[in-house]
Amino acid sequence: MKHFIMITASVLALGGTLTACSSEPVKAPVTEAEMATETARLNAWFEEKFQEGVRDYPEYLASLGIRERMDEWNDPTRAFELEQLDEERQNLAEMKENFDFDKLSEDAQLSYRLFERNVNNSLDGDKYHDYGYPFNQMFGIQSGIPTFMLNRHRIDNVEDARNYIARLNGVKDVLDVVVARSEQAAEKGIMPPKFVYGHVIRDSKNVLTGAPFEETDELNLLLADFETKVKKLDLPEDEQEALYTDAITALLTSVRPAYENLIATLESQEARTTTDDGVWKLPDGADYYANRLKMMTTTDMTASEIHDLGLAEVDRIHGEMRDIMTAVEFEGDLQDFFEFMRTDEQFVYPNTEAGKAAYLAEATRMIDVMYDRLPEVFNTMPKAGLEVVAVEAFREKSAGKAFYNRPAQDGSRPGRYYANLYDMNDMPKYQMEALAYHEGVPGHHMQLSIAQELEGVPSFRKYGRVTAYTEGWGLYSEYLPKEMGFYADPYSDFGRLAMELWRAARLVVDTGLHDKRWSREKAIEYLTTNTPNPEGDCIKAIERYIVMPGQATAYKIGMIKILELREEAKATLGDKFDLGAFHDVVLASGPVPLNILEDRVNTWVKSQG
């Protein structure tokens, strides 16, 4: 989606509002009427630009529940990207020319500054446009296409079914462009490390399994999805058969050759790439990583400062874990305790369908219990529903441990907490509470749903992304229930600490990989030694950090800032401090950089004095 309509994590520290030089004439005070008029004009303009922008991205329209361009994919060409950048420049110039910053309300000034900085950051970052690996095990388009069709493309009528077929027919054009661009990047030395290719090739081959690609009674995942959705339309049998025939033709003439070409290209690149893991290996890799850290953390912290912070936090959390060892009367050292937590059967569900169903049911129960307690510490609740689901089979071997997808704005799709149940040994019971609170409530579901339900806030802020804010909130949401009396079982509290330790260790290994030139193996060894997570968990995590440089550093840095702001507000306000009101301040802006969040909290504290 268009950079200017999203508040991305690339938003940096913002300067203060402009002031007139002493030599300039003194401006007349702005009246309330003038402020209201100018603010309304700007918000209307933001909304106009947002609506124009999203209509350039058919897949984003679907995620918002807007039923337009349902037969199309996003344009993956470089020419399209450059057109968007030109439009961003024009929009920024138009805003500066047509709106008076000094006549805007405080919140509208924030929107103005965020919009301006967001455009500038997207323009500045364009020099790294081909650095993101388009084919990777975490969010690569090879898995993105089937995931989108299964989870985003609705079929409520015959036209929707034909649009589904049209999208299948468009897969070849889209994938061929992305494949060509990945080859262009490879010629510059920009390729993921060798291990990534095994994952991506396997997942790509998985897309081509089942009928009509193979002689089997088991349908391909896309054909099965199409059939399931079409059956709900209750069409005449001959009309259904005609649709199935067209879908099969699209799979054979578009999807199959597209993925076969992709697989052949990936196998060629795999033979040419290296086992070097960090982005230090890329052209101007150090600058690229510094840019990623600034974008993800919204701070000016250097890689070395982040690395040292991680080491200190790991040491602190280890101390708290030793306290739990004492509480449960465990004999041995911390490494012994880690091994016990990894291997004792009491901490995992069976790796069976029944065990996986039990996990989903218990995670849902935990979220339901938390929902009942939310009014104790929150004044504003999310309206959108939430469901807990398993990661789909075709991508579960490669996908992360857990993640969240926001609901559709029209209510047609709830928020979804995805749990990866490929190997139940990687999803221990003692981490269930912290995961449910992080991905569900009071975590991502609460923050993202409330953001998109805000009134009087421009849409580009409602749907924005600032990783340090969003993931900082997620990690804060793991800690907050501890203060509410949750994690009563010491092993579950150990799980909370294990999740926090995981994020602290990320500061160490992410910077280790990309700045200090650690190998994949050294980073994996650090996690297996310093956390209780099983080896499979550690391997997946390190492989994630390799293809998503800097992203993992945002969690702990964001959490630390939110807690720091909360404790400073409590110390200043004393008995006047209200936790629900503090949470309102944090959540009512939509995602913002950490320095802007600090400004907002400080302003609120002064207003309470």
Side-chain angles (χ1 to χ4, degrees), residues 296 438 443-444 447 466-479 503 551 553-563 586 594 597:
M296 290 298 166
H438 181 108
H444 288 327
Q447 182 262 307
V466 180
T467 306
Y469 171 95
T470 300
E471 297 298 354
W473 177 263
L475 189 48
Y476 170 77
S477 297
E478 295 176 21
Y479 175 76
R503 278 46 168 267
Q551 191 267 355
T553 66
Y555 295 66
K556 199 72 174 68
I557 290 171
M559 177 206 189
I560 288 171
K561 174 56 70 173
I562 292 172
L563 277 173
V586 174
L594 297 182
L597 180 63

Side-chain angles (χ1 to χ4, degrees), residues 1-2 4-6 43-58 60-61 64-69 84 87 91 115 409 452 457-463:
M1 109 134 259
K2 226 174 258 188
F4 73 83
I5 57 177
M6 301 284 286
N43 284 339
W45 183 84
F46 280 143
E47 195 60 29
E48 175 188 341
K49 295 303 177 183
F50 179 83
Q51 295 300 330
E52 289 177 358
V54 297
R55 279 161 176 78
D56 287 336
Y57 296 83
Y60 192 66
L61 287 172
L64 294 175
I66 299 175
R67 300 173 65 79
E68 298 177 19
R69 301 185 66 184
Q84 301 308 295
E87 192 167 330
N91 285 332
F115 188 94
Q409 65 175 359
Q452 73 181 43
V457 173
S459 292
F460 83 91
R461 286 172 53 188
K462 293 182 184 182
Y463 298 99

Side-chain angles (χ1 to χ4, degrees), residues 488-509:
D489 181 345
Y491 289 120
S492 186
D493 197 29
F494 175 86
R496 174 188 66 82
L497 286 171
M499 295 289 283
E500 186 180 3
L501 175 64
W502 193 243
R503 278 46 168 267
R506 283 175 173 176
L507 302 180
V508 179
V509 295

Side-chain angles (χ1 to χ4, degrees), residues 41 64 113 183 225 242 357 372 426 533:
R41 280 201 324 118
L64 294 175
R113 294 163 64 202
E183 279 289 87
D225 177 61
D372 292 338
D426 292 342
N533 293 57

Side-chain angles (χ1 to χ4, degrees), residues 4 38 41-43 45-47 49 87-102 104 108-120 458 460:
F4 73 83
E38 193 71 353
R41 280 201 324 118
L42 180 62
N43 284 339
W45 183 84
F46 280 143
E47 195 60 29
K49 295 303 177 183
E87 192 167 330
E88 290 187 62
R89 291 187 188 95
Q90 295 169 19
N91 285 332
L92 181 57
E94 183 179 333
M95 183 182 73
K96 289 184 174 182
E97 180 180 353
N98 294 331
F99 298 97
D100 188 336
F101 182 88
D102 293 331
L104 298 171
Q109 287 180 343
L110 171 60
S111 298
Y112 185 108
R113 294 163 64 202
L114 290 172
F115 188 94
E116 177 181 20
R117 185 62 69 169
N118 195 38
V119 172
N120 286 333
F460 83 91

Side-chain angles (χ1 to χ4, degrees), residues 183-254:
E183 279 289 87
Q184 292 167 5
E187 291 173 2
K188 302 176 185 177
I190 302 173
M191 289 186 287
K194 193 173 288 289
F195 78 85
V196 173
Y197 287 90
H199 291 309
V200 177
I201 291 170
R202 179 191 63 244
D203 289 353
S204 298
K205 289 180 177 179
N206 285 344
V207 177
L208 297 182
T209 59
F213 303 123
E214 301 172 321
E215 292 186 6
T216 176
D217 292 334
E218 185 174 349
L219 295 182
N220 170 264
L221 76 164
L222 289 167
L223 186 57
D225 177 61
F226 183 74
E227 182 181 85
T228 299
K229 291 173 178 176
V230 168
K231 279 183 177 180
K232 295 179 181 179
L233 300 182
D234 194 25
L235 298 174
E237 186 173 341
D238 60 339
E239 193 168 356
Q240 286 191 40
E241 287 302 319
L243 289 170
Y244 296 154
T245 298
D246 288 346
I248 290 170
T249 299
L251 289 167
L252 293 174
T253 61
S254 173

Side-chain angles (χ1 to χ4, degrees), residues 266-550:
L266 293 174
E267 289 174 343
S268 172
Q269 289 183 11
E270 183 179 24
R272 289 178 276 152
T273 195
T274 70
T275 56
D276 292 334
D277 298 297
V279 296
W280 55 264
K281 69 177 183 176
L282 304 178
D284 299 318
D287 290 341
Y288 172 57
Y289 187 53
N291 177 270
R292 288 286 297 179
L293 290 179
K294 180 166 285 193
M295 181 173 66
M296 290 298 166
T297 68
T298 70
T299 74
D300 291 320
M301 292 182 71
T302 66
S304 292
E305 289 171 338
I306 292 171
H307 191 84
D308 291 344
L309 173 63
L311 292 172
E313 284 294 286
V314 166
D315 187 59
R316 176 187 63 79
I317 297 168
H318 280 172
E320 294 188 30
M321 287 179 159
R322 291 187 180 93
D323 292 340
I324 289 180
M325 288 171 52
T326 300
V328 299
E329 300 180 345
F330 181 85
E331 295 184 3
D333 61 18
L334 188 59
Q335 287 298 319
D336 295 329
F337 195 50
F338 283 174
E339 184 65 17
F340 168 66
M341 299 300 292
R342 287 188 191 112
T343 59
D344 197 288
E345 292 184 357
Q346 69 175 300
F347 298 125
V348 294
Y349 285 101
N351 204 28
T352 62
E353 291 305 311
K356 295 176 181 181
Y359 186 101
L360 295 175
E362 178 62 9
T364 300
R365 185 198 68 79
M366 289 176 172
I367 288 172
D368 289 342
V369 170
M370 177 57 75
Y371 259 117
D372 292 338
R373 296 282 303 279
L374 288 180
E376 297 175 17
V377 291
F378 289 94
N379 300 333
T380 304
M381 306 297 160
K383 299 174 184 176
L386 171 66
E387 62 183 15
V388 185
V389 298
V391 174
E392 304 92 342
F394 80 92
R395 59 172 176 156
E396 64 180 355
K397 192 172 181 180
S398 300
K401 185 184 188 77
F403 49 92
Y404 172 80
N405 283 351
R406 69 164 79 221
Q409 65 175 359
D410 65 354
S412 61
R413 184 187 66 254
R416 288 183 178 139
Y417 157 29
Y418 284 86
N420 192 336
L421 306 183
Y422 174 74
D423 185 348
M424 297 306 292
N425 291 317
D426 292 342
M427 299 292 280
K429 294 178 182 179
Y430 59 78
Q431 289 185 354
M432 287 185 70
E433 274 195 276
L435 267 179
Y437 303 148
H438 181 108
E439 304 295 348
V441 289
H444 288 327
H445 178 68
M446 187 156 195
Q447 182 262 307
L448 291 168
S449 295
I450 287 176
Q452 73 181 43
E453 292 162 5
L454 291 172
E455 296 181 0
V457 173
S459 292
F460 83 91
R461 286 172 53 188
K462 293 182 184 182
Y463 298 99
R465 296 177 185 270
V466 180
T467 306
Y469 171 95
T470 300
E471 297 298 354
W473 177 263
L475 189 48
Y476 170 77
S477 297
E478 295 176 21
Y479 175 76
L480 178 65
K482 169 72 173 176
E483 300 176 313
M484 299 170 64
F486 288 90
Y487 305 110
D489 181 345
Y491 289 120
S492 186
D493 197 29
F494 175 86
R496 174 188 66 82
L497 286 171
M499 295 289 283
E500 186 180 3
L501 175 64
W502 193 243
R503 278 46 168 267
R506 283 175 173 176
L507 302 180
V508 179
V509 295
D510 196 287
T511 52
L513 285 162
H514 298 296
D515 180 66
K516 300 184 181 302
R517 304 194 175 195
W518 285 13
S519 67
R520 168 179 172 273
E521 291 70 27
K522 181 175 180 178
I524 291 170
E525 181 184 8
Y526 182 86
L527 286 188
T528 55
T529 301
N530 288 281
T531 76
N533 293 57
E535 184 181 31
D537 219 1
C538 297
I539 292 171
K540 267 191 179 181
I542 294 304
E543 293 181 346
R544 166 189 166 181
Y545 310 151
I546 288 170
V547 300
M548 301 173 68

